[in-house]
Structures are given as C-alpha cells and as structure tokens.
C-alpha cells in the first residue's frame, strides 16, 4: 500500500518503515515534489497531526498520515508538551532542546525523601490519517522519567534523556536501545501499530 507520510524528518520515516513493515510503501512530500514547511500551529498535538495530514492530503489528493509528538514532564507542569520540537526556540536543534530541559530540571532530584520519583514524564504521539473518507486519530504513549544527563547515541530528539519504564534491563535511555527494543515500547511504535491494524482491516 502506497501512502504519504507528511513529514520531512528522515528519522521518523525510517522508524515508521521499520514498524509498519513491507505492507506499506511510504512516500514523503519531498518525494512528490512538495517543498517547504508543513504548517503546525495548533495548541495540541492532536490538532497539529491533523493539520499536517490535511495540508498534504489537500495538495496531493492521496491518503496521508502525519504524527505529532510531545514530551510531557510532570515537574515542569507538562512542558515542553506541544512545543517539544521548538522548546529552545525557532532554529534550534535537539541538542539545544535537551540542554534547556536538563537545565530546567537541574534542581529536581530523582527521588523525594519518601522514595517517590520526581522526574516522571511521558511521551505522547498522535497519528492523524486523512483520506477521501474523512479522518481518524491513533494515539500511543510511554511512561518514564528524565535522566540526570544524556546517554546513548541512537535515536533522535529527546531520546538520550528519556528513561522508559518498560525497559529490560532498566535505567537505559531510548538512545541506548536497539531500534527493535525502542519500537516495541515507544509512543510512536504503539500509535503506528494501531494505525497499521486499522489500515489492514
């Protein structure tokens, strides 16, 4: 099945291809000659995912999906949330975002005196699928905590500072996991598997 993935992020395309498998052939806007930024101005990740998928569907007329992802840190009141990709400001990169996050969390210890985790966070991913028949949303999430420092060289985004709960052995960041290990428990993996199941039906 040929389907358009409304993203310019090659890491996301590689990850989605691994998770969806050979049943799906992913095309990007660039593959179809569409250049420029895809708008994402909604105050929610659900709204951004739908905005991006709708934008490319209208330009191509082809079934299209898009994702939006946010890292929600409890000690920061849910930040960076929907602003995760631009947390450090426009034109900044993932390294800048992580450095800002670690600085914001620098006074937060891992545990309270009673042993409660204080650096808890979760990744949420929403996939929006748009076609002539309308749209559908699929969500995946993963619980974890923010590390005290970066570790690992795999993955992308905030992966080096996020320690997922569902990890054996525990205490490793997303960036220290193999692609297979990460995809099995990640927010995007869960959302994509729900999406794939719907499409196969």
């Amino acid at each position: 099945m040929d389907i358009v993935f409304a993203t310019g992020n090659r890491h996301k395309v590689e990850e989605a291809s691994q998770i969806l498998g050979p049943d799906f052939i992913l095309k990007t806007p660039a593959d179809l000659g569409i250049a420029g930024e895809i708008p994402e101005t909604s105050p929610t990740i659900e709204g951004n995912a739908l905005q991006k998928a709708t934008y490319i569907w209208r330009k191509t007329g082809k079934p299209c999906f898009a994702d939006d992802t946010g890292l929600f840190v409890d000690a920061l009141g849910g930040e960076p949330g929907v602003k995760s990709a631009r947390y450090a400001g426009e034109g900044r990169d993932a390294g800048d975002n992580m450095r800002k996050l670690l600085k914001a969390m620098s006074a937060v210890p891992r545990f309270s005196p009673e042993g409660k985790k204080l650096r808890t966070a979760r990744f949420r991913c929403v996939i929006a699928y748009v076609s002539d028949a309308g749209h559908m949303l699929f969500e995946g999430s993963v619980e974890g905590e923010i590390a005290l420092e970066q570790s690992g060289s795999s993955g992308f985004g905030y992966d080096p500072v996020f320690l997922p709960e569902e990890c054996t052995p525990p205490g490793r960041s997303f960036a220290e996991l193999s692609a297979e290990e990460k995809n099995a428990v990640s927010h995007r993996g869960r959302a994509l598997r729900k999406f794939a199941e719907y499409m196969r039906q």
Side-chain angles (χ1 to χ4, degrees), residues 1-7 25-34 49-66 128-135 195 199:
M1 179 183 297
D2 285 0
I3 190 167
V4 182
F5 186 6
T7 184
I25 299 173
L26 302 186
K27 303 289 186 181
T28 67
D31 293 332
L32 303 176
I34 299 172
L50 184 57
Q51 183 182 22
K52 290 187 283 187
T54 301
Y55 177 81
I56 296 300
W57 170 70
R58 286 175 175 164
K59 281 187 169 290
T60 65
K62 299 178 182 296
C64 177
F65 75 97
Y129 172 65
V130 178
S131 67
D132 292 340
H135 74 269
F195 169 59
M199 295 297 290

Short mmCIF file of all heavy atoms in Angstrom, two decimals, residues 1-7 25-34 49-66 128-135 195 199:
data_model
loop_
_atom_site.label_atom_id
_atom_site.label_comp_id
_atom_site.label_asym_id
_atom_site.label_seq_id
_atom_site.Cartn_x
_atom_site.Cartn_y
_atom_site.Cartn_z
N MET A 1 0.84 -1.18 0.00
CA MET A 1 0.00 0.00 0.00
C MET A 1 0.88 1.24 0.00
O MET A 1 1.71 1.42 0.88
CB MET A 1 -0.90 0.01 1.24
CG MET A 1 -1.80 1.21 1.35
SD MET A 1 -2.77 1.19 2.88
CE MET A 1 -3.73 -0.30 2.62
N ASP A 2 0.71 2.10 -1.01
CA ASP A 2 1.41 3.38 -1.05
C ASP A 2 0.65 4.38 -0.21
O ASP A 2 -0.58 4.51 -0.34
CB ASP A 2 1.49 3.90 -2.49
CG ASP A 2 2.52 3.15 -3.32
OD1 ASP A 2 3.14 2.22 -2.77
OD2 ASP A 2 2.69 3.48 -4.50
N ILE A 3 1.36 5.10 0.65
CA ILE A 3 0.72 6.09 1.50
C ILE A 3 1.71 7.21 1.75
O ILE A 3 2.92 6.99 1.81
CB ILE A 3 0.24 5.44 2.81
CG1 ILE A 3 -0.64 6.40 3.60
CG2 ILE A 3 1.40 4.96 3.65
CD1 ILE A 3 -1.40 5.72 4.72
N VAL A 4 1.19 8.42 1.89
CA VAL A 4 2.04 9.58 2.10
C VAL A 4 2.19 9.83 3.60
O VAL A 4 1.21 9.86 4.34
CB VAL A 4 1.45 10.84 1.42
CG1 VAL A 4 2.39 12.03 1.62
CG2 VAL A 4 1.22 10.60 -0.05
N PHE A 5 3.44 10.00 4.03
CA PHE A 5 3.74 10.35 5.41
C PHE A 5 4.15 11.83 5.41
O PHE A 5 5.18 12.20 4.86
CB PHE A 5 4.88 9.48 5.94
CG PHE A 5 5.20 9.65 7.41
CD1 PHE A 5 4.44 10.44 8.24
CD2 PHE A 5 6.30 9.00 7.96
CE1 PHE A 5 4.73 10.58 9.59
CE2 PHE A 5 6.60 9.13 9.31
CZ PHE A 5 5.82 9.93 10.12
N ALA A 6 3.31 12.67 6.00
CA ALA A 6 3.52 14.12 5.95
C ALA A 6 4.59 14.54 6.94
O ALA A 6 4.30 15.04 8.02
CB ALA A 6 2.22 14.86 6.23
N THR A 7 5.84 14.32 6.57
CA THR A 7 6.96 14.71 7.41
C THR A 7 8.18 14.97 6.54
O THR A 7 8.30 14.42 5.44
CB THR A 7 7.29 13.63 8.46
OG1 THR A 7 8.34 14.09 9.32
CG2 THR A 7 7.74 12.34 7.79
N ILE A 25 4.36 1.20 1.64
CA ILE A 25 5.43 1.92 0.97
C ILE A 25 5.21 3.40 1.25
O ILE A 25 4.22 3.99 0.80
CB ILE A 25 5.42 1.66 -0.55
CG1 ILE A 25 5.64 0.16 -0.83
CG2 ILE A 25 6.50 2.49 -1.24
CD1 ILE A 25 5.49 -0.22 -2.28
N LEU A 26 6.11 3.99 2.02
CA LEU A 26 5.93 5.37 2.46
C LEU A 26 6.52 6.35 1.46
O LEU A 26 7.66 6.21 1.02
CB LEU A 26 6.57 5.57 3.83
CG LEU A 26 6.07 4.68 4.97
CD1 LEU A 26 6.70 5.11 6.29
CD2 LEU A 26 4.55 4.71 5.07
N LYS A 27 5.72 7.34 1.12
CA LYS A 27 6.17 8.46 0.31
C LYS A 27 6.16 9.71 1.19
O LYS A 27 5.31 9.84 2.07
CB LYS A 27 5.24 8.68 -0.88
CG LYS A 27 5.06 7.48 -1.78
CD LYS A 27 6.30 7.19 -2.59
CE LYS A 27 6.04 6.07 -3.59
NZ LYS A 27 7.26 5.73 -4.38
N THR A 28 7.11 10.59 0.97
CA THR A 28 7.14 11.86 1.70
C THR A 28 6.71 12.98 0.78
O THR A 28 6.70 12.82 -0.45
CB THR A 28 8.54 12.15 2.24
OG1 THR A 28 9.43 12.39 1.13
CG2 THR A 28 9.07 10.99 3.09
N PRO A 29 6.36 14.14 1.33
CA PRO A 29 6.05 15.28 0.47
C PRO A 29 7.18 15.59 -0.51
O PRO A 29 6.92 15.93 -1.67
CB PRO A 29 5.83 16.42 1.47
CG PRO A 29 5.31 15.74 2.70
CD PRO A 29 6.08 14.44 2.76
N ALA A 30 8.43 15.46 -0.06
CA ALA A 30 9.56 15.73 -0.96
C ALA A 30 9.57 14.76 -2.13
O ALA A 30 9.91 15.15 -3.26
CB ALA A 30 10.87 15.63 -0.17
N ASP A 31 9.19 13.50 -1.89
CA ASP A 31 9.12 12.52 -2.97
C ASP A 31 8.12 12.94 -4.04
O ASP A 31 8.24 12.57 -5.21
CB ASP A 31 8.71 11.15 -2.44
CG ASP A 31 9.77 10.53 -1.53
OD1 ASP A 31 10.96 10.84 -1.71
OD2 ASP A 31 9.39 9.73 -0.64
N LEU A 32 7.10 13.71 -3.63
CA LEU A 32 6.04 14.14 -4.54
C LEU A 32 6.24 15.56 -5.04
O LEU A 32 5.35 16.16 -5.63
CB LEU A 32 4.69 14.02 -3.83
CG LEU A 32 4.35 12.62 -3.30
CD1 LEU A 32 3.04 12.64 -2.53
CD2 LEU A 32 4.28 11.60 -4.44
N GLY A 33 7.43 16.11 -4.78
CA GLY A 33 7.76 17.44 -5.28
C GLY A 33 7.20 18.59 -4.47
O GLY A 33 7.14 19.72 -4.94
N ILE A 34 6.79 18.31 -3.22
CA ILE A 34 6.25 19.35 -2.36
C ILE A 34 7.34 19.80 -1.40
O ILE A 34 7.84 19.02 -0.59
CB ILE A 34 5.03 18.83 -1.56
CG1 ILE A 34 3.93 18.40 -2.53
CG2 ILE A 34 4.51 19.89 -0.60
CD1 ILE A 34 2.77 17.71 -1.85
N ALA A 49 -1.17 17.13 14.32
CA ALA A 49 -1.13 15.94 13.46
C ALA A 49 -2.20 16.04 12.37
O ALA A 49 -1.93 15.78 11.18
CB ALA A 49 -1.32 14.69 14.29
N LEU A 50 -3.39 16.44 12.75
CA LEU A 50 -4.48 16.55 11.78
C LEU A 50 -4.22 17.69 10.80
O LEU A 50 -4.49 17.54 9.60
CB LEU A 50 -5.81 16.78 12.52
CG LEU A 50 -7.07 16.82 11.65
CD1 LEU A 50 -7.20 15.52 10.84
CD2 LEU A 50 -8.30 17.04 12.52
N GLN A 51 -3.68 18.80 11.27
CA GLN A 51 -3.37 19.92 10.38
C GLN A 51 -2.35 19.51 9.31
O GLN A 51 -2.51 19.82 8.13
CB GLN A 51 -2.84 21.09 11.20
CG GLN A 51 -2.55 22.34 10.39
CD GLN A 51 -1.97 23.46 11.23
OE1 GLN A 51 -1.42 23.24 12.29
NE2 GLN A 51 -2.12 24.70 10.77
N LYS A 52 -1.31 18.80 9.72
CA LYS A 52 -0.27 18.40 8.78
C LYS A 52 -0.79 17.41 7.75
O LYS A 52 -0.52 17.54 6.55
CB LYS A 52 0.93 17.82 9.54
CG LYS A 52 1.70 18.85 10.34
CD LYS A 52 2.97 18.28 10.96
CE LYS A 52 2.71 17.45 12.18
NZ LYS A 52 3.96 17.04 12.87
N ALA A 53 -1.53 16.40 8.22
CA ALA A 53 -2.06 15.39 7.29
C ALA A 53 -3.05 16.01 6.31
O ALA A 53 -3.04 15.69 5.11
CB ALA A 53 -2.71 14.25 8.08
N THR A 54 -3.90 16.89 6.80
CA THR A 54 -4.90 17.53 5.95
C THR A 54 -4.23 18.42 4.89
O THR A 54 -4.64 18.44 3.72
CB THR A 54 -5.87 18.37 6.79
OG1 THR A 54 -6.53 17.51 7.75
CG2 THR A 54 -6.92 19.05 5.93
N TYR A 55 -3.20 19.12 5.30
CA TYR A 55 -2.48 20.02 4.39
C TYR A 55 -1.91 19.25 3.20
O TYR A 55 -2.08 19.66 2.03
CB TYR A 55 -1.37 20.72 5.17
CG TYR A 55 -0.49 21.63 4.36
CD1 TYR A 55 -0.88 22.92 4.04
CD2 TYR A 55 0.78 21.20 3.93
CE1 TYR A 55 -0.05 23.76 3.31
CE2 TYR A 55 1.61 22.04 3.20
CZ TYR A 55 1.19 23.31 2.90
OH TYR A 55 2.01 24.14 2.17
N ILE A 56 -1.24 18.13 3.48
CA ILE A 56 -0.63 17.36 2.39
C ILE A 56 -1.69 16.61 1.59
O ILE A 56 -1.59 16.49 0.35
CB ILE A 56 0.42 16.38 2.95
CG1 ILE A 56 1.57 17.18 3.59
CG2 ILE A 56 0.96 15.47 1.86
CD1 ILE A 56 2.31 18.11 2.65
N TRP A 57 -2.74 16.12 2.23
CA TRP A 57 -3.83 15.44 1.51
C TRP A 57 -4.47 16.40 0.50
O TRP A 57 -4.75 16.02 -0.65
CB TRP A 57 -4.85 14.92 2.50
CG TRP A 57 -6.11 14.41 1.86
CD1 TRP A 57 -6.26 13.28 1.11
CD2 TRP A 57 -7.40 15.03 1.90
NE1 TRP A 57 -7.56 13.15 0.68
CE2 TRP A 57 -8.28 14.22 1.15
CE3 TRP A 57 -7.90 16.18 2.50
CZ2 TRP A 57 -9.63 14.52 0.99
CZ3 TRP A 57 -9.24 16.49 2.34
CH2 TRP A 57 -10.09 15.67 1.59
N ARG A 58 -4.68 17.63 0.91
CA ARG A 58 -5.30 18.61 0.01
C ARG A 58 -4.39 18.92 -1.18
O ARG A 58 -4.86 19.19 -2.28
CB ARG A 58 -5.63 19.88 0.76
CG ARG A 58 -6.85 19.75 1.67
CD ARG A 58 -7.09 20.99 2.50
NE ARG A 58 -8.32 20.87 3.27
CZ ARG A 58 -8.63 21.65 4.29
NH1 ARG A 58 -7.79 22.62 4.66
NH2 ARG A 58 -9.77 21.48 4.95
N LYS A 59 -3.08 18.88 -0.96
CA LYS A 59 -2.15 19.17 -2.05
C LYS A 59 -1.99 17.99 -3.01
O LYS A 59 -1.69 18.19 -4.20
CB LYS A 59 -0.77 19.55 -1.48
CG LYS A 59 -0.69 20.99 -0.98
CD LYS A 59 0.73 21.34 -0.59
CE LYS A 59 0.87 22.83 -0.33
NZ LYS A 59 0.76 23.65 -1.56
N THR A 60 -2.13 16.77 -2.51
CA THR A 60 -1.85 15.59 -3.33
C THR A 60 -3.10 14.79 -3.72
O THR A 60 -3.07 14.08 -4.73
CB THR A 60 -0.90 14.63 -2.58
OG1 THR A 60 -1.57 14.12 -1.42
CG2 THR A 60 0.38 15.34 -2.17
N GLY A 61 -4.14 14.88 -2.91
CA GLY A 61 -5.31 14.05 -3.13
C GLY A 61 -5.10 12.60 -2.77
O GLY A 61 -5.94 11.74 -3.03
N LYS A 62 -3.95 12.30 -2.14
CA LYS A 62 -3.62 10.93 -1.78
C LYS A 62 -3.83 10.70 -0.29
O LYS A 62 -3.64 11.62 0.51
CB LYS A 62 -2.16 10.62 -2.13
CG LYS A 62 -1.82 10.75 -3.61
CD LYS A 62 -0.34 10.48 -3.86
CE LYS A 62 0.01 10.65 -5.34
NZ LYS A 62 -0.68 9.65 -6.19
N PRO A 63 -4.21 9.48 0.12
CA PRO A 63 -4.31 9.17 1.55
C PRO A 63 -3.00 9.52 2.24
O PRO A 63 -1.91 9.24 1.74
CB PRO A 63 -4.57 7.67 1.57
CG PRO A 63 -5.20 7.37 0.26
CD PRO A 63 -4.56 8.30 -0.73
N CYS A 64 -3.12 10.15 3.39
CA CYS A 64 -1.94 10.71 4.03
C CYS A 64 -2.05 10.57 5.54
O CYS A 64 -3.14 10.66 6.11
CB CYS A 64 -1.84 12.19 3.65
SG CYS A 64 -0.48 13.07 4.42
N PHE A 65 -0.90 10.35 6.20
CA PHE A 65 -0.91 10.40 7.65
C PHE A 65 0.24 11.28 8.14
O PHE A 65 1.23 11.50 7.43
CB PHE A 65 -0.83 9.00 8.27
CG PHE A 65 0.51 8.33 8.21
CD1 PHE A 65 1.38 8.35 9.30
CD2 PHE A 65 0.91 7.62 7.08
CE1 PHE A 65 2.60 7.72 9.26
CE2 PHE A 65 2.14 6.99 7.03
CZ PHE A 65 3.00 7.03 8.13
N ALA A 66 0.05 11.80 9.33
CA ALA A 66 1.07 12.64 9.96
C ALA A 66 1.05 12.33 11.45
O ALA A 66 0.05 11.87 11.99
CB ALA A 66 0.80 14.11 9.71
N ALA A 128 -2.60 11.16 12.77
CA ALA A 128 -3.83 11.51 12.06
C ALA A 128 -3.76 10.95 10.65
O ALA A 128 -2.75 11.14 9.96
CB ALA A 128 -4.00 13.03 12.02
N TYR A 129 -4.80 10.25 10.25
CA TYR A 129 -4.90 9.70 8.90
C TYR A 129 -6.04 10.40 8.19
O TYR A 129 -7.16 10.46 8.70
CB TYR A 129 -5.14 8.20 8.96
CG TYR A 129 -5.44 7.56 7.62
CD1 TYR A 129 -4.48 7.54 6.62
CD2 TYR A 129 -6.69 7.00 7.36
CE1 TYR A 129 -4.75 6.96 5.38
CE2 TYR A 129 -6.97 6.41 6.13
CZ TYR A 129 -6.00 6.39 5.15
OH TYR A 129 -6.26 5.83 3.93
N VAL A 130 -5.76 10.93 7.00
CA VAL A 130 -6.77 11.67 6.24
C VAL A 130 -6.89 11.06 4.85
O VAL A 130 -5.88 10.82 4.16
CB VAL A 130 -6.40 13.16 6.13
CG1 VAL A 130 -7.43 13.91 5.28
CG2 VAL A 130 -6.30 13.80 7.51
N SER A 131 -8.12 10.81 4.44
CA SER A 131 -8.40 10.30 3.09
C SER A 131 -9.72 10.89 2.63
O SER A 131 -10.35 11.69 3.34
CB SER A 131 -8.47 8.77 3.11
OG SER A 131 -9.61 8.34 3.85
N ASP A 132 -10.17 10.47 1.47
CA ASP A 132 -11.47 10.96 0.96
C ASP A 132 -12.60 10.61 1.92
O ASP A 132 -13.64 11.28 1.92
CB ASP A 132 -11.75 10.37 -0.42
CG ASP A 132 -10.79 10.88 -1.48
OD1 ASP A 132 -10.19 11.95 -1.25
OD2 ASP A 132 -10.65 10.23 -2.53
N ALA A 133 -12.42 9.57 2.71
CA ALA A 133 -13.49 9.11 3.62
C ALA A 133 -13.54 9.91 4.92
O ALA A 133 -14.48 9.75 5.70
CB ALA A 133 -13.29 7.63 3.94
N GLY A 134 -12.55 10.77 5.15
CA GLY A 134 -12.53 11.53 6.39
C GLY A 134 -11.21 11.38 7.11
O GLY A 134 -10.18 11.16 6.48
N HIS A 135 -11.25 11.44 8.45
CA HIS A 135 -10.00 11.31 9.20
C HIS A 135 -10.19 10.43 10.43
O HIS A 135 -11.30 10.25 10.93
CB HIS A 135 -9.47 12.69 9.61
CG HIS A 135 -10.23 13.33 10.73
ND1 HIS A 135 -11.30 14.18 10.52
CD2 HIS A 135 -10.08 13.25 12.08
CE1 HIS A 135 -11.78 14.59 11.68
NE2 HIS A 135 -11.06 14.04 12.65
N PHE A 195 -2.51 2.22 13.98
CA PHE A 195 -2.81 2.71 12.64
C PHE A 195 -2.73 1.59 11.61
O PHE A 195 -3.61 1.43 10.76
CB PHE A 195 -1.83 3.83 12.29
CG PHE A 195 -1.84 4.27 10.85
CD1 PHE A 195 -3.00 4.75 10.26
CD2 PHE A 195 -0.68 4.21 10.09
CE1 PHE A 195 -3.00 5.16 8.94
CE2 PHE A 195 -0.67 4.61 8.78
CZ PHE A 195 -1.83 5.08 8.20
N MET A 199 -5.63 0.04 9.09
CA MET A 199 -5.48 0.01 7.65
C MET A 199 -5.63 -1.40 7.09
O MET A 199 -6.21 -1.60 6.01
CB MET A 199 -4.12 0.59 7.26
CG MET A 199 -3.94 2.06 7.58
SD MET A 199 -5.09 3.13 6.69
CE MET A 199 -4.47 2.98 5.02
#
